[in-house]
Amino acid sequence: MKHTIGVLVENHFGVLARVSGLFSARGFNIDSLTVGETEDAEVSRMTIVAHGDDRVVAQIMKQLNKLIDVIKVVDLTNEELIDRELVLVKVSAPAQSRNEVMQIVNTFRAKIVDVNSKTLTIEVTGGESKIDAMLELLRPFGIFEVVRTGLIAMSRKSELTAPPKQAGVSTEVKGGVKKKSAAKLAKV
Amino acid sequence: MKLTGAQILIKSLEEEGVDVVFGLPGGAILPTFDALYDSKIKFILVRHEQGATHMADGYGRATGKPGVCLVTSGPAATNTVTGLATAYMDSAPLVCITGQVATTAIGSDAFQEADVVGITRPVTKHNYLVRDVRDITRIVKEAFYIARTGRPGPVLIDFPVDVSRATAEYEYPAEVSIRGYSIPSKGDPDQILKAAALMNQAKRPCLYVGGGAVGSGAHKEVFELVEKTGIPITTTVLGLGIFPEDHPSSLRMLGMHGTVYANYSVQQSDLLIAVGARFDDRVTGHIEKFCPHAKIIHIDIDPASIAKTVRVDVSVVGDVRHVLRQLNKQVKDRRRDIRAWLEQIDAWKKKHPLKYRQSDDVIRQEHIIAKIGEVTKHEAIVTTGVGQHQMWAAQWYQFKTPRGMLTSGGLGTMGYGLPSAIGAQMARPDETVICIDGDGSVQMTSCELATAAYYKIPVKLFIMDNNHHGMVRQWQELFYRHRYSGSQLGASNPDFMKLADAYGIKAIQIRQPDQVVPGIKEALAHKGPVLVHCLVAKEDNVFPMVPAGHALDQVMDMA
Ligand SMILES: Cc1ncc(C[n+]2csc(CCOP(=O)(O)OP(=O)(O)O)c2C)c(N)n1
């Protein structure tokens, strides 16, 4: 099953390599991974779409949590989600089929961002099913090029935010700031 | 007053209580070695950087305090990879500092440049590239903190030469704050109650204890749990020493070369209580056939260890020592209720004891190791290489002190024995440190004999010379129709007596069984390092053995 995982990470040098390296080292498959800064410049947020059975996904989450630069990990799959992907499609559109292509563009509330005599370049955003449906309809016209950003996702209800960089966490006794899900994840 | 980055680094190490550093200098780390020259920290010059990492690892495992190694960039840093991976697999606390080319040259394929942070990422708990002289103290503080807390492990600091020359004010942070790092300590009380309830009901319970219990310093708590409940206990190779093996509740080691009765007990149990152990395949055998009737309780500090390979019924995430303290308050004496089970186990113990065939002609490794155990009262620190001798050491030394067995369990690194013994001896100078090594394994790091000789580090190195890569030969005998491809050392072994002599180390040879005990005593009586060359049976096999991919009760034993 497909899972959408939200990950907050310290915006440190090499953090993307740590996350992607973990996936390859442990044999997990990534469908897509996006990353960008959040409201806090020191924190980046990744959205990872990966598939696997529940045990595999539970392992992925726990292993991500173990990375020191990972602040929080949440499986968004069962949340009420807003998920979006941005896609650019360059499609063949000579005069005789141009209208039909434009109709599809309109139906999906996509945008035409570039035009020449032979092709149209379309920009579309949406969830996975919308994008797939549109690409399916465009395919018979001849797609030259597709670029996808990968999915980004946000829960409608709960916020995924980083705790403040807390000063004054003592060394041996109290430990670091709780990674919220670390202990709970493993609870059977 | 401003200090250089190198001075700041060394001062930070002092601040962390580092008393010894293992390493070898080179271009990119020269400023740091220059600063070390003025420090009270003792420096041990190794002959190969792999040795430095195993020494730091041995130091770390013998104490729980991170061992430290300091090497240069490029080839030196890549030489540490095996040692880091060894420490990572066995959760040994270690801090490794590598020189790096100047930040301005990084990425240009400069002389002795390697992407060390990239190369070591999968084999360290965490690693750092220091890019600003002002970050050094924070990074060192974090590195030691991360290395020794939680599930311990190696942390690497890659230290570019220009950063080591830059200057800054020295100020050591009092505290660490890493929001992405939490250290479980106590277990969830509800989970403890659930675990205790299962333990108070089970008819055939069995404790399975691993290196996590050693790392957490939980030997008293483990002992109390067993004494209080009467539940029998088996340990992994890394758990050896956490519980005295001469105790009637001890089932000794389980797994591929574990005792028959430990493996039977685990397989027949109705409740397996895993404590700081991670269900390695050398322990579980065929995973689908592993303890088919049992509910499983798993206590571990690392949530990712839980339910990784086996299903778990009750998990408790926490520091083993804290969790056992909580649990010990809830569990009851089970001896009366599980009497039939304990009788069954006793019957297995009688029927399938660990055994070997004593001989008057050839020396059995089991015999030497059992005698080393007796002579040292089972209280020495033992390190090993990898192979048959390692398994025999695990079976026959009879451990009874925690941190008494240092061995590469997870990665299975030949060459671990001698350097880790040197590291352990530096950490605990008053203890007897014995390396039980194979003639194959020892040659992977035997250059460190020079280190032992130069610093007069009094490790006792027993080389079990069977003239083979014995464990490989055993598999080839049993599973590859005696085709000894690449496992015979033949005439290519050096004369180990002369080797010791060449390094100026005392050498003793044990050629026949009646020389075993006198040889051991002579070695132990000597104040400096000793090499004991033991000419042992060439084609013996380690039994019991559960062939790879079989269930734990499908065991081959000596007839
Ligand atoms: C670095 C490394 N290379 C190869 C192996 C594979 N291996 C496992 S045991 C063994 C033989 C070890 O021979 P020796 O040290 O003489 O010990 P013995 O089995 O004879 O006691 C080998 C080659 C390993 N574990 N580690």
Side-chain angles (χ1 to χ4, degrees):
Chain A
M1 181 179 155
K2 236 178 205 176
H3 284 253
T4 307
I5 300 168
V7 191
L8 290 182
V9 298
E10 296 288 353
N11 200 356
H12 285 166
F13 176 78
V15 65
L16 179 59
R18 284 185 206 281
V19 170
S20 60
L22 184 151
F23 274 77
S24 62
R26 300 218 172 242
F28 303 143
N29 289 313
I30 304 184
D31 294 340
S32 72
L33 188 157
T34 65
V35 57
E37 244 178 43
T38 62
E39 66 283 358
D40 176 349
E42 290 185 11
V43 177
S44 292
R45 177 162 174 161
M46 298 184 178
T47 305
I48 301 174
V49 180
H51 57 266
D53 60 28
D54 289 351
R55 217 176 69 189
V56 169
V57 173
Q59 255 306 299
I60 293 180
M61 307 262 300
K62 290 183 200 171
Q63 293 293 350
L64 283 170
N65 240 312
K66 256 175 92 164
L67 296 178
I68 312 285
D69 283 340
V70 167
I71 303 166
K72 265 190 193 174
V73 185
V74 180
D75 187 353
L76 297 165
T77 313
N78 297 321
E79 302 258 333
E80 259 188 66
L81 268 193
I82 308 167
D83 56 346
R84 292 286 181 276
E85 187 176 13
L86 172 71
V87 182
L88 297 175
V89 195
K90 196 183 284 170
V91 68
S92 161
Q96 63 266 37
S97 60
R98 184 152 291 210
N99 271 344
E100 263 182 280
V101 172
M102 306 259 277
Q103 257 174 22
I104 294 171
V105 169
N106 287 335
T107 319
F108 284 90
R109 271 181 262 146
K111 264 198 283 188
I112 291 167
V113 289
D114 193 44
V115 188
N116 62 36
S117 59
K118 292 202 191 79
T119 66
L120 289 177
T121 301
I122 302 163
E123 171 196 310
V124 60
T125 54
E128 197 186 9
S129 51
K130 173 179 169 184
I131 306 264
D132 285 350
M134 181 168 136
L135 289 177
E136 209 43 54
L137 288 178
L138 290 175
R139 189 149 294 139
F141 297 93
I143 293 176
F144 291 127
E145 212 177 335
V146 176
V147 190
R148 312 177 66 144
T149 57
L151 205 69
I152 54 171
M154 188 184 267
S155 159
R156 284 182 196 276
K157 293 206 180 107
S158 51
E159 274 93 52
L160 177 56
T161 52
K165 259 199 173 163
Q166 189 179 319
V169 183
S170 73
T171 49
E172 211 71 354
V173 202
K174 274 192 253 146
V177 180
K178 272 257 148 58
K179 243 189 242 185
K180 196 165 144 250
S181 39
K184 287 202 185 119
L185 272 172
K187 198 155 151 184
V188 179
Chain B
M1 193 189 79
K2 288 196 169 183
L3 300 182
T4 66
Q7 290 168 324
I8 291 173
L9 183 91
I10 296 300
K11 222 164 144 67
S12 302
L13 296 182
E14 290 169 351
E15 200 99 36
E16 287 296 325
V18 174
D19 54 359
V20 56
V21 165
F22 306 95
L24 200 153
I29 200 75
L30 278 178
T32 307
F33 269 82
D34 194 59
L36 182 63
Y37 207 60
D38 295 327
S39 169
K40 60 179 195 290
I41 296 175
K42 182 158 177 65
F43 175 66
I44 300 289
L45 173 64
V46 302
R47 293 302 187 269
H48 185 291
E49 291 85 357
Q50 181 186 347
T53 51
H54 292 327
M55 287 177 203
D57 171 317
Y59 181 102
R61 292 196 209 198
T63 56
K65 246 175 76 178
V68 181
C69 53
L70 180 68
V71 306
T72 190
S73 66
T78 56
N79 273 349
T80 68
V81 170
T82 301
L84 293 170
T86 304
Y88 186 60
M89 285 289 263
D90 291 346
S91 311
L94 180 166
V95 172
C96 176
I97 300 153
T98 49
Q100 180 56 280
V101 302
T103 49
T104 46
I106 286 179
S108 69
D109 300 321
F111 178 64
Q112 294 197 327
E113 178 184 1
D115 174 12
V116 173
V117 166
I119 290 169
T120 61
R121 202 177 283 126
V123 294
T124 52
K125 184 171 172 186
H126 195 52
N127 61 18
Y128 295 90
L129 172 65
V130 188
R131 300 203 294 173
D132 187 325
V133 63
R134 288 165 302 183
D135 291 338
I136 296 173
T137 52
R138 174 185 59 79
I139 287 175
V140 172
K141 178 101 182 162
E142 286 183 7
F144 277 83
Y145 180 60
I146 290 169
R148 72 167 178 266
T149 55
R151 180 176 177 176
V155 177
L156 179 135
I157 301 172
D158 203 23
F159 193 38
V161 66
D162 55 336
V163 179
S164 74
R165 287 200 198 99
T167 58
E169 291 293 338
Y170 174 84
E171 195 191 339
Y172 206 67
E175 286 156 339
V176 182
S177 163
I178 312 166
R179 59 184 153 178
Y181 182 61
S182 71
I183 304 163
S185 95
K186 282 199 175 144
D188 180 319
D190 293 343
Q191 297 296 104
I192 302 272
L193 289 180
K194 277 193 217 164
L198 285 181
M199 289 171 73
N200 291 334
Q201 281 159 16
K203 287 284 184 307
R204 301 189 308 277
C206 182
L207 276 157
Y208 147 52
V209 182
V214 177
S216 129
H219 52 282
K220 286 203 188 85
E221 289 74 11
V222 169
F223 194 78
E224 190 188 330
L225 179 62
V226 177
E227 284 281 289
K228 201 162 173 202
T229 59
I231 297 176
I233 169 173
T234 178
T235 74
T236 66
V237 69
L238 294 183
L240 287 170
I242 192 73
F243 188 82
E245 292 195 279
D246 55 357
H247 189 286
S249 292
S250 171
L251 303 172
R252 320 219 30 199
M253 183 175 75
L254 83 165
M256 182 174 273
H257 293 294
T259 62
V260 174
Y261 45 93
N263 287 337
Y264 279 7
S265 302
V266 167
Q267 283 303 88
Q268 295 294 317
S269 65
D270 67 351
L271 178 68
L272 187 72
I273 307 131
V275 181
R278 59 184 181 84
F279 298 87
D280 183 90
D281 56 277
R282 284 291 188 268
V283 159
T284 62
H286 193 304
I287 194 82
E288 251 104 70
K289 297 181 194 149
F290 178 63
C291 60
H293 318 293
K295 291 209 154 122
I296 296 179
I297 298 172
H298 194 175
I299 300 169
D300 205 289
I301 200 160
D302 178 8
S305 268
I306 288 170
K308 185 169 65 180
T309 54
V310 293
R311 63 187 163 77
V312 170
D313 297 278
V314 175
S315 69
V316 189
V317 175
D319 185 316
V320 166
R321 191 153 56 103
H322 290 292
V323 172
L324 291 190
R325 277 185 193 162
Q326 293 169 279
L327 198 59
N328 282 342
K329 295 201 183 102
Q330 307 294 337
V331 289
K332 303 201 170 85
D333 187 353
R334 298 292 297 153
R335 287 175 182 83
R336 288 221 331 259
D337 303 271
I338 63 172
R339 200 163 71 208
W341 173 236
L342 297 179
E343 281 167 6
Q344 167 70 78
I345 290 175
D346 274 338
W348 284 330
K349 280 188 177 178
K350 291 210 177 70
K351 190 155 180 229
H352 308 282
L354 272 183
K355 55 181 177 282
Y356 66 91
R357 286 190 212 96
Q358 176 59 346
S359 156
D360 291 335
D361 311 319
V362 293
I363 305 179
R364 300 250 119 87
Q365 297 195 36
E366 297 98 311
H367 177 63
I368 303 189
I369 292 163
K371 290 297 167 195
I372 295 175
E374 283 170 26
V375 174
T376 58
K377 302 197 186 73
H378 312 282
E379 284 169 349
I381 298 172
V382 174
T383 75
T384 76
V386 170
Q388 294 183 311
H389 65 279
Q390 175 191 32
M391 291 297 106
W392 277 318
Q395 290 180 341
W396 290 97
Y397 183 79
Q398 274 223 24
F399 292 90
K400 67 176 192 199
T401 54
R403 304 193 182 280
M405 170 64 150
L406 314 184
T407 191
S408 172
L411 197 67
T413 308
M414 291 169 70
Y416 176 78
L418 175 61
S420 65
I422 291 172
Q425 186 78 78
M426 288 306 295
R428 292 166 63 183
D430 300 330
E431 314 269 337
T432 303
V433 178
I434 290 180
C435 173
I436 296 172
D437 224 334
D439 51 333
S441 293
V442 75
Q443 291 185 65
M444 294 215 174
T445 47
S446 59
C447 54
E448 303 307 341
L449 282 169
T451 310
Y454 183 78
Y455 296 100
K456 304 190 173 57
I457 302 167
V459 294
K460 316 298 176 209
L461 170 64
F462 286 76
I463 299 176
M464 302 293 170
D465 185 353
N466 57 6
N467 215 239
H468 283 89
H469 283 147
M471 186 57 92
V472 174
R473 192 208 52 74
Q474 174 169 347
W475 283 50
Q476 289 170 333
E477 177 186 328
L478 297 174
F479 312 119
Y480 293 87
R481 292 179 288 129
H482 292 78
R483 288 154 58 86
Y484 294 151
S485 176
S487 60
Q488 289 167 316
L489 295 167
S492 63
N493 268 346
D495 179 333
F496 286 109
M497 299 298 285
K498 281 194 188 150
L499 187 70
D501 202 37
Y503 285 113
I505 284 179
K506 180 180 169 75
I508 298 170
Q509 196 165 53
I510 298 181
R511 272 168 314 233
Q512 54 205 50
D514 60 2
Q515 295 174 325
V516 167
V517 173
I520 295 170
K521 288 191 171 154
E522 188 188 346
L524 289 171
H526 182 68
K527 287 219 165 54
V530 187
L531 184 156
V532 187
H533 184 212
C534 308
L535 299 170
V536 296
K538 291 189 170 156
E539 302 202 3
D540 275 0
N541 290 332
V542 186
F543 289 116
M545 176 178 195
V546 179
H550 285 63
L552 280 189
D553 46 10
Q554 293 175 294
V555 54
M556 301 160 74
D557 202 359
M558 204 175 280

